[in-house]
Amino acid sequence: MRFLLIGLFSVILITPSLSYANDTFNWGVYIKAGNYGVEDPDGEADEEFTYSPGLKFTFPVSRRGKQLVVSGEYIDFDLDASTEYVGQEVNGYRLSGGYEHQFNLARSLKVWGGITLNIDTFTFDGRHTIDQDGYLAQRYEDLEETSLGVSGYLFTVFDMNSSWAPGIGLFVDYPMGDGVYAIGGFAQLIFE
């Protein structure tokens, strides 16, 4: 997990400073809100509505709405246990890298689409199920996993004719194997 954190902070802090002299990047903050769940190896797990803050950097590769994106976010939520669902505390980090493309649907409506490859490091603590009376039925080993996943998203940015622009969008996060999945919306603030 330390290796992932060091890598995340290196990318976030060093890469933009290298391109700053050429003014070739934008950065922003965002918050995701949606239903988060877990692909658990020991059974099904419920979903939880939660929020996830993040930081993103974009690097335009052409003047016509194509850009590379690097982002990092913190994810933390709890899933309730039941007779059929494995309850657990989930927290960790996601580092993403990918591509965004702008679609000009109308003169004043520009929609961006993006896809990223994600590296996730999560801990799954307190994994258990309960019986019909609410008592502990089965305890499972805590897990710490690093895995890959993909994200897809659509968003629009409202041009404020200034050095910042707010935006809103929809996203889907899906793990490759066991891990955290999510679907929901997000709000972002991009600084140019």
Side-chain angles (χ1 to χ4, degrees), residues 4 12 40 43 46 48 60 71 80 85 93 104 106 113 121-122 125 133 142 150 158 161 165 171 176 179:
L4 181 64
I12 289 173
D40 193 283
D46 202 4
E48 176 74 20
S71 64
D80 292 332
Y85 292 135
Y93 299 91
N104 295 322
T121 296
F122 287 102
D125 295 326
D133 297 322
D142 291 343
V150 294
F158 304 103
N161 291 324
F171 73 93
M176 295 179 188

Side-chain angles (χ1 to χ4, degrees), residues 105-119:
L105 302 179
R107 184 178 187 116
S108 61
L109 179 62
K110 295 179 173 91
V111 175
W112 288 81
I115 188 164
T116 62
L117 180 63
N118 309 324
I119 300 173

Side-chain angles (χ1 to χ4, degrees), residues 10-60:
S10 296
V11 169
I12 289 173
L13 296 175
I14 294 172
T15 305
S17 64
L18 294 175
S19 62
Y20 182 72
N22 296 326
D23 194 29
T24 59
F25 78 97
N26 299 320
W27 69 278
V29 293
Y30 61 89
I31 187 158
K32 289 180 170 181
N35 284 332
Y36 283 73
V38 172
E39 295 286 339
D40 193 283
D42 293 310
E44 291 190 43
D46 202 4
E47 295 180 349
E48 176 74 20
F49 185 85
T50 193
Y51 300 94
S52 170
L55 179 65
K56 116 185 215 182
F57 294 93
T58 59
F59 305 90

Side-chain angles (χ1 to χ4, degrees), residues 25 32 40 78 80 85 90 103 109 128 135 155 168 183:
F25 78 97
K32 289 180 170 181
D40 193 283
D78 296 337
D80 292 332
Y85 292 135
V90 181
F103 301 96
L109 179 62
H128 67 284
Y135 294 104
F155 67 95
I168 56 172
I183 185 168

Side-chain angles (χ1 to χ4, degrees), residues 72-121:
E73 63 190 76
Y74 176 71
I75 301 171
D76 183 21
F77 61 96
D78 296 337
L79 298 175
D80 292 332
S82 70
T83 57
E84 55 189 78
Y85 292 135
V86 178
Q88 54 202 296
E89 299 170 11
V90 181
N91 65 61
Y93 299 91
R94 171 172 288 148
L95 177 63
S96 303
Y99 176 76
E100 293 179 348
H101 184 82
Q102 183 182 50
F103 301 96
N104 295 322
L105 302 179
R107 184 178 187 116
S108 61
L109 179 62
K110 295 179 173 91
V111 175
W112 288 81
I115 188 164
T116 62
L117 180 63
N118 309 324
I119 300 173
D120 298 339
T121 296

